Structure formats: C-alpha cells, structure tokens
C-alpha cells in the first residue's frame, strides 16, 4: 500500500543521521524541506531530488516569521540536530541548539494554527531519562550523569529538549504532538537492519551502552511520521531504539 503523501521539515539535515532521515523520507515518496547550513554537504543523489526543497540556513538564525513560513503546510518536523564533537561544538555557542530549536519550531507551528496536530520527532539520547516513567537509575549512573551535566553542555541540551516537549507541550496540545527517540551510541551502516524498541532503557546507557545504526534511527523516525498506527503507539513517549544484535 502506497504511503500517504506528506510534507516534512527536517532540521539538522546535513548531519550523518539527518542525511539518512532525508533519504528515508524521499524513498517513501514524501516531500521534504531540509534545513542545513550548506547544500554542498548533501550527496548529489539527494540534492537533486525533485521532492526535496533545500533551505540554506542555521536554524536559530531564522527569524520567527521565516520559521513559521517554513513549517507552514508541513505535516511533521524531524529534528536530527546535534552538537559537533569538537571543542567548539561541545563548549561553544549555541549551547541550547536542540532545546531552542524545539521551542522555536513548536512556537512556529502554533503560529500557523494547523488544522490538525503537527508531529514533532526529536532525535534524543538513551542517556536522557523519561521522568514520566520513573526510570530506575543506579547510584553509579546518577553520579556519572551529574558529571556529564557539569562537563558536557550537549548532554544538558538533550535533556532540556526532551523536558520541553514533555512538560511544555505535554500530552494534550491541540497543535503539536511529539515523540523523542532515544538511540544508543550511533554508528554508520549501509542498510536498514533489524532493531528493537522499548519504552525505557533495558540496560545502562552509561555502563552497558550498545550501538545502533544511524540508518535504523532514521528509518524508525520516518516510520513514526508516515505510519499513523506506529505514531499512536509512541506519541508523547520516549522510545529507546536498540540494534537487535545488541540486545
């Protein structure tokens, strides 16, 4: 059965997972608006696709009006934003890239007053807890996470972004619905393989972290947007994705 045609805004589209996300959506016959700082970072096969519109910009440099213009008419927004693993990327500005983008994009969605809720899919981290579920964390892991909060601003950014969706958007917003996808450590693989989904981590994200491919994460995020049944199962939740071979 052919997937329903939708328009999806992908932010962080030039990153390794963001490129996979764009590719997955285009393969499913969707229309994609990709926000990225340089179109040159996209592979030629993606860049020239007739269902892809490229918006060359840093997401937080867009004005509120520009952001509203870009989300207007979109059925979903997929955030694959992350911090570069360089000294500047980790400790430089913007320190709240993921959180500020989530807040401003959700505000932009509300400004357009969509007829039905727009889906917001956030790529997050298995190291971030879902406080709605009271997920058990060992004392050792709590100590390490406390250090991460002090030493690694990107970890705090991921936590704040998920908390924004969980507490400020919540479960009953009339214009925005959300899911925060929590992968283990990310690796590159050429093809989609089998993976598992769990409401909460089934092992320590600090002491027993595994690996999951970026293409699998992108596949799941795209499926959430396209498959309404899957969306109903996971909306307002923070599913953890594992490679089947790692569980």
């Amino acid at each position: 059965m052919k997937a329903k045609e939708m328009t999806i805004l992908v932010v962080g589209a030039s990153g390794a997972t963001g490129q996979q996300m764009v590719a997955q959506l285009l393969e499913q016959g969707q229309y994609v608006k990709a926000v990225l700082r340089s179109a040159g970072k996209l592979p030629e096969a993606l860049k020239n696709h007739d269902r892809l519109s490229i918006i060359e910009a840093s997401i937080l440099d867009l004005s509120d009006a520009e952001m509203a213009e870009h989300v207007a008419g979109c059925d979903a927004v997929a955030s694959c934003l992350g911090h570069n693993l360089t000294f500047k990327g980790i400790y430089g500005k913007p320190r709240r890239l993921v959180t500020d983008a989530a807040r401003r994009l959700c505000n932009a969605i509300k400004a357009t007053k969509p007829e039905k809720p727009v889906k917001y899919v956030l790529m997050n981290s298995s190291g971030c807890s879902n406080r709605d579920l009271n997920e058990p964390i060992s004392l050792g892991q709590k100590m390490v996470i406390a250090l991460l909060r002090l030493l690694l601003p990107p970890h705090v950014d991921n936590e704040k972004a998920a908390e924004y969706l969980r507490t400020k958007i919540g479960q009953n917003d009339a214009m925005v619905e959300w899911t925060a996808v929590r992968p283990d450590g990310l690796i590159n693989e050429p093809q989609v393989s089998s993976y598992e989904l769990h409401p909460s981590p089934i092992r320590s994200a600090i002491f027993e972290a595994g690996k999951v491919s970026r293409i699998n994460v992108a596949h799941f995020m795209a499926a959430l947007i396209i498959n309404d049944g899957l969306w109903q199962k996971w909306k307002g939740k923070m599913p953890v994705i594992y490679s089947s071979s790692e569980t």
Side-chain angles (χ1 to χ4, degrees), residues 16-207:
T17 308
Q19 289 187 29
Q20 295 286 0
M21 184 70 192
V22 171
Q24 289 290 319
L25 291 168
L26 292 175
E27 284 179 19
Q28 294 292 324
Q30 306 305 321
Y31 292 94
V32 177
K33 297 180 181 179
V35 181
L36 67 168
R37 281 181 289 185
S38 172
K41 293 183 178 180
L42 282 180
E44 290 297 321
L46 292 181
K47 190 167 29 176
N48 298 320
H49 200 288
D50 59 0
R51 288 179 180 246
L52 176 65
S53 300
I54 294 174
I55 302 160
E56 286 195 271
S58 295
I59 186 67
L60 296 183
D61 288 343
L62 295 172
S63 68
D64 291 345
E66 289 171 326
M67 207 168 279
E69 178 185 346
H70 294 318
V71 301
C74 288
D75 301 279
V77 175
S79 173
C80 298
L81 291 167
H83 296 258
N84 293 327
L85 297 180
T86 62
F87 186 88
K88 182 179 178 181
I90 293 172
Y91 297 105
K93 295 181 180 181
R95 288 198 169 193
R96 296 290 183 267
L97 169 66
V98 183
T99 305
D100 288 347
R103 175 181 54 80
R104 292 191 60 208
L105 284 163
C106 288
N107 286 342
I109 290 168
K110 293 181 181 186
T112 67
K113 295 181 169 54
E115 293 181 1
K116 62 178 183 178
V118 173
K119 299 173 180 178
Y120 193 96
V121 183
L122 172 71
M123 184 180 73
N124 202 245
S125 166
S126 63
C128 297
S129 297
N130 182 355
R131 296 183 184 178
D132 285 334
L133 300 183
N134 253 342
E135 295 174 340
I137 302 175
S138 69
L139 178 59
Q141 183 162 324
K142 286 180 180 178
M143 293 173 66
V144 173
I145 289 175
L147 282 173
L148 291 177
R149 288 174 181 148
L150 287 172
L151 301 175
L152 295 177
H155 180 80
V156 177
D157 191 17
N158 278 328
E159 288 187 323
K160 296 285 187 184
E163 282 297 291
Y164 169 79
L165 295 175
R166 192 181 68 81
T167 61
K168 301 302 182 182
I169 301 300
Q171 302 291 336
N172 301 302
D173 195 283
M175 298 184 197
V176 182
E177 296 177 346
W178 63 273
T179 299
V181 177
R182 294 184 284 174
D184 255 355
L186 293 168
I187 60 172
N188 292 321
E189 294 289 350
Q191 295 180 330
V192 176
S193 58
S194 59
Y195 55 85
E196 296 180 6
L197 305 166
H198 298 269
S200 295
I202 60 173
R203 61 181 180 230
S204 169
I206 302 297
F207 301 114

Side-chain angles (χ1 to χ4, degrees), residues 222-234:
L224 277 169
I225 291 169
I226 296 167
N227 186 320
D228 284 336
L230 194 65
W231 182 256
Q232 292 304 316
K233 179 177 179 178
W234 293 111

